[in-house]
Amino acid sequence: MQKRKIIRRILDNITEKLLTISGAVTGIAILFITFFLFTEGAALFQSPQVEHGYALYVNSSNPVNNLQPEETKAIFDAEITNWNTLGGKNSEIKIFRIDDAFQIYPESELGENYELLPAKLGEIISKEENILAFLPTQYAPQGAAVKALAGKNIQPKEYFLGKEWLPTATPVPLFGVLPLVLGTLLVSIVALLIALPLGLGVAIYLSEMASDKQRRLLKPVIELLAGIPSVVYGFFGLVVLVPIVQKTLNLPVGETAFTGSLLLAIMALPTIISVAEDALRNTPRTMREASLALGATQWQTIYRVVIPYAKSGISAAVVLGIGRAIGETMAVMMVTGNAAVMPHSLMESVRTIPATIAAELGEAPAGGAHYQALFLLGCILFVFTMIISISAEIISKKKNYKTH
Amino acid sequence: MNKKLSQQIAFIIFKLFGILVVAILISILGFIIVNGISVINWKFLTAFPNEGMTTGGIFPAIVGTLYLIIGSLLFAFPLGVMSAIYTHEYAGKGWIVKTIRMMTNNLASIPSIVFGLFGMALFVNKLNFGDSIIAGSLTLGLLALPVIIRTTEEALKAVPNTYREASLALGATKLQTIKKVVIPAAMPNIITGLILSIGRVSGETAPILFTVAAYLLPQLPTGIFDQAMALPYHLYVLATSGTDLEASRPMAYGTALVLIMIVLTMNLLASFMRRKLEKNRSK
């Protein structure tokens, strides 16, 4: 008897400890998410600018010591063709790739495992003063007249302010997130501009005007809208919305930022409606009655008394709506066309941050610069939504201070 | 007169907005139901995809989604319920509860693709699970946690304090009170939360993209370290990257309808239960 009691007490103790630990589970989860996202993401700035495993070499008489990633890209795109643009001599840049070596020397001269290749490469570079050689570091050229260009790591400035997102370009991939960030903001903000008046209108209708019967019809409809999976919205957008947008606006393609905004607006509606409606309903009855007693009409009461009173709740609805829109992945990916360029107009294809992650992570080798760049995108998204969710909380708290 | 006119205009506009929202929902649901209903039959639900996913069925995707629902909730349900019990029954009203609640809200607001990234970094790569049902389940479980915690807290809140006091007055310990009185009373509401999270888990695509989902599998998964197909990802594949998009359209409509039916059944069931409980309480 005594023994059983002790065992039970121990068991109870363990259970209570377990409860305490699991109380912190969401905190631990967030900590873990933050940790993994940021360690993977921050590693990007320890990655070299030039494609992994490669380096750039020049003749040692060349006064140029390093190149910016944009410059390297421009050279290999044949936009820069002369060394003097880069502060060197006035002579044409001769690009040399590893494949070119096989044109010059037959394979038999390079040794069985290409062990003679570095020396041959050194020879080529020494002979040609204006060469820019892009070679694997495994076969780093050997010779007195060879100079490796100083390999810098990817800089935060290039990442956060870069205007080009070309993650698979050689020899230098470009990871500029500006077009993605702007694409995300454009699509989300336009979505909100569409959804906000609509959502607020429905919220006002629901809380102030609708009869019980109408409310009982509308509320479940809104809940159902919230329940539809985003991939189904995306599918609907793809087969219905995209052709409609293309036809009515007479565009070459229907997959535009505007299509994405339209779809996101529909998806953000339930959030906006239910949060705003809660806020409106929380207006004390006495305030409405006071206004009505003063001779105001119902509509005057709504926009002079109820809406100002519910302002913080409505702001929270706006903020949460943005949060939902910014993080939405599948639906946006399916209807915006995903061109990773700086957005110029609403009627062009854009690419958002979540869509970029979803589309490219599968092809990015784990641990590479591309992979890390995508994780850093995840960090940006994470920070965005954290700021949004915390500010929504602060906004909706503000009201409590005022009224109590 | 002017006042009345502006009121009438405003009310008409808002009413139109309301009608518009209903129309949007009806058009989305109607579109998928009308196009999908003719595809769904016994064979569609029980056969494997065939001929580049243009014929056959979606059986492996249904089974995969089922595995993911079970796997994620096996992990998230006990943890979420325990977490809610701690915050509601044990922790005081101080900063701890406030912090935990804020964390739960924040976890709920993290975009699902970020969960996918995290799942890939931790479960797939670091813990070396590979693309597997267990990695996908754990990732989806994290996503379901805030839903379960919130609904359980609501459920516990709805248990009158007199129940607890009566039990304690009879000499029961706090844990006994929770086990024998509070949880049974809160159970129906907790189950509602469970149903809601099934709806949430079965519809998510982004978190499973890199943790479990397979494009096409010739057989069903045999263990928790196998990849699996899943309905939402299968719909995405059918809609965007099948071998013959036009020919696989009917399959896509059918998949979308099955997916919507699962999710909406869960949501309707949950709201039905909630309404019934509210009625019982008011009696």
Side-chain angles (χ1 to χ4, degrees):
Chain A
M1 190 66 195
Q2 197 69 19
K3 221 182 202 170
R4 215 193 278 166
K5 233 181 193 168
I6 291 171
I7 291 174
R8 188 196 285 164
R9 196 169 293 161
I10 291 171
L11 274 179
D12 282 4
N13 241 326
I14 293 172
T15 318
E16 291 191 336
K17 287 268 148 56
L18 271 177
L19 284 175
T20 315
I21 295 168
S22 55
V25 68
T26 49
I28 295 169
I30 288 191
L31 229 60
F32 259 62
I33 292 176
T34 319
F35 175 77
F36 273 94
L37 240 50
F38 280 84
T39 44
E40 297 275 1
L44 178 70
F45 301 126
Q46 265 113 56
S47 294
Q49 287 168 338
V50 178
E51 198 184 342
H52 186 72
Y54 286 81
L56 292 166
Y57 301 91
V58 293
N59 189 293
S60 53
S61 67
N62 198 323
V64 176
N65 284 318
N66 61 52
L67 291 172
Q68 294 300 317
E70 293 83 25
E71 291 172 343
T72 318
K73 182 186 169 271
I75 294 169
F76 279 82
D77 287 351
E79 281 157 20
I80 296 177
T81 53
N82 199 309
W83 280 113
N84 65 1
T85 331
L86 307 162
K89 285 171 285 191
N90 184 15
S91 45
E92 206 183 314
I93 300 173
K94 294 234 166 79
I95 294 174
F96 183 85
R97 288 188 173 84
I98 186 77
D99 293 343
D100 300 333
F102 298 111
Q103 308 280 322
I104 301 171
Y105 301 104
E107 258 182 63
S108 54
E109 275 183 44
L110 299 174
E112 222 164 89
N113 300 311
Y114 302 125
E115 64 268 11
L116 302 174
L117 188 57
K120 298 279 186 204
L121 291 173
E123 222 171 88
I124 296 169
I125 294 174
S126 312
K127 263 191 254 164
E128 181 58 71
E129 270 181 29
N130 301 318
I131 200 166
L132 176 68
F134 171 60
L135 303 169
T137 44
Q138 195 187 346
Y139 302 114
Q142 292 160 359
V146 175
K147 180 168 76 174
L149 289 182
K152 263 197 304 180
N153 287 340
I154 295 169
Q155 303 294 307
K157 203 182 119 211
E158 292 163 19
Y159 185 82
F160 291 109
L161 299 175
K163 291 189 182 132
E164 279 178 290
W165 177 264
L166 298 165
T168 50
T170 51
V172 276
L174 293 180
F175 301 110
V177 296
L178 226 46
L180 310 179
V181 172
L182 292 181
T184 310
L185 291 179
L186 177 72
V187 174
S188 310
I189 289 171
V190 174
L192 201 75
L193 290 181
I194 301 170
L196 193 61
L198 207 60
L200 267 186
V202 176
I204 292 172
Y205 179 76
L206 268 177
S207 79
E208 308 295 319
M209 298 150 51
S211 64
D212 258 2
K213 209 171 159 193
Q214 289 164 328
R215 195 173 296 132
R216 241 176 300 163
L217 175 80
L218 254 162
K219 271 268 188 184
V221 165
I222 291 158
E223 276 170 33
L224 286 190
L225 264 177
I228 297 175
S230 65
V231 66
V232 175
Y233 276 112
F235 179 57
F236 174 77
L238 191 67
V239 286
V240 178
L241 232 43
V242 167
I244 289 179
V245 168
Q246 186 187 357
K247 255 179 226 143
T248 49
L249 299 174
N250 223 344
L251 299 169
V253 281
E255 277 131 345
T256 62
F258 179 67
T259 324
S261 301
L262 220 52
L263 195 60
L264 270 184
I266 298 174
M267 297 175 71
L269 268 179
T271 316
I272 295 175
I273 293 174
S274 60
V275 179
E277 199 223 338
D278 276 347
L280 292 170
R281 273 174 168 258
N282 276 336
T283 312
R285 200 188 162 82
T286 46
M287 291 184 73
R288 280 177 234 260
E289 280 166 358
S291 165
L292 292 173
L294 286 171
T297 61
Q298 207 183 343
W299 169 233
Q300 280 174 321
T301 307
I302 292 170
Y303 82 83
R304 289 276 169 78
V305 178
V306 178
I307 293 180
Y309 185 87
K311 213 159 59 190
S312 62
I314 293 171
S315 320
V318 174
V319 172
L320 287 173
I322 292 188
R324 172 102 208 246
I326 280 183
E328 179 46 48
T329 314
M330 302 314 289
V332 178
M333 178 156 82
M334 290 163 87
V335 300
T336 53
N338 295 325
V341 289
M342 292 295 263
H344 293 294
S345 98
L346 260 184
M347 300 308 161
E348 279 170 22
S349 161
V350 291
R351 174 181 261 197
T352 64
I353 295 176
T356 308
I357 300 173
E360 292 177 6
L361 192 61
E363 286 130 42
H370 189 188
Y371 179 86
Q372 291 156 349
L374 292 174
F375 267 85
L376 210 52
L377 278 182
C379 297
I380 295 178
L381 206 56
F382 180 80
V383 172
F384 266 7
T385 45
M386 277 294 157
I387 293 173
I388 285 168
S389 120
I390 290 170
S391 47
E393 227 155 282
I394 292 171
I395 291 169
S396 47
K397 282 240 177 70
K398 227 185 206 164
K399 182 189 157 179
N400 294 344
Y401 286 123
K402 249 189 235 159
T403 51
H404 296 300
Chain B
M1 195 61 212
N2 204 1
K3 282 197 298 189
K4 283 227 167 105
L5 191 68
S6 67
Q7 163 154 339
Q8 264 170 355
I9 293 171
F11 279 22
I12 288 170
I13 292 174
F14 293 154
K15 198 162 194 171
L16 284 176
F17 282 178
I19 294 170
L20 183 64
V21 170
V22 177
I24 291 172
L25 180 89
I26 290 175
S27 63
I28 295 178
L29 285 186
F31 174 77
I32 288 177
I33 291 172
V34 166
N35 285 297
I37 199 86
S38 56
V39 184
I40 293 187
N41 52 38
W42 187 245
K43 190 180 150 256
F44 181 73
L45 296 175
T46 55
F48 275 69
N50 240 330
E51 294 169 44
M53 292 189 266
T54 54
T55 60
I58 53 167
F59 184 58
I62 295 177
V63 171
T65 289
L66 213 61
Y67 284 165
L68 287 176
I69 291 173
I70 295 170
S72 58
L73 293 177
L74 270 182
F75 150 71
F77 184 62
L79 210 55
V81 170
M82 278 164 70
S83 172
I85 290 175
Y86 175 77
T87 37
H88 195 263
E89 305 289 324
Y90 280 89
K93 287 228 158 77
W95 62 273
I96 299 181
V97 172
K98 267 188 200 149
T99 319
I100 291 178
R101 201 154 291 147
M102 202 175 94
M103 290 293 189
T104 311
N105 281 341
N106 286 348
L107 193 67
S109 72
I110 294 175
S112 53
I113 186 76
V114 173
F115 281 97
L117 274 176
F118 169 68
M120 181 181 190
L122 177 61
F123 304 126
V124 176
N125 292 340
K126 191 116 252 145
L127 297 177
N128 234 339
F129 291 160
D131 276 6
S132 60
I133 292 177
I134 183 157
S137 298
L138 290 173
T139 311
L140 283 174
L142 275 183
L143 205 92
L145 257 185
V147 184
I148 295 170
I149 292 177
R150 270 188 203 163
T151 45
T152 308
E153 266 199 77
E154 292 298 317
L156 295 173
K157 224 180 269 173
V159 177
N161 249 333
T162 47
Y163 283 32
R164 294 186 185 87
E165 282 156 9
S167 165
L168 291 172
L170 287 169
T173 64
K174 188 157 194 177
L175 192 61
Q176 281 172 328
T177 306
I178 290 170
K179 272 199 292 201
K180 300 264 166 73
V181 177
V182 178
I183 292 183
M187 210 47 179
N189 267 327
I190 297 178
I191 298 294
T192 312
L194 180 70
I195 295 172
L196 270 184
S197 50
I198 291 178
R200 174 99 203 256
V201 163
S202 50
E204 284 289 346
T205 319
I208 59 172
L209 276 178
F210 317 113
T211 52
V212 49
Y215 185 82
L216 184 63
L217 290 176
Q219 78 247 351
L220 294 179
T222 53
I224 55 169
F225 290 103
D226 283 359
Q227 275 194 302
M229 291 172 73
L231 281 172
Y233 183 64
H234 192 59
L235 173 57
Y236 173 67
V237 166
L238 286 171
T240 60
S241 52
T243 40
D244 183 353
L245 281 185
E246 273 319 303
S248 57
R249 254 314 97 95
M251 294 281 115
Y253 286 123
T255 312
L257 184 54
V258 172
L259 186 59
I260 278 197
M261 285 202 320
I262 294 177
V263 173
L264 293 192
T265 313
M266 290 302 152
N267 283 6
L268 285 176
L269 199 64
S271 69
F272 173 75
M273 277 182 72
R274 198 175 283 160
R275 215 158 294 162
K276 206 172 167 196
L277 287 169
E278 264 164 27
K279 242 182 217 162
N280 282 352
R281 203 172 300 144
S282 60
K283 262 178 199 168

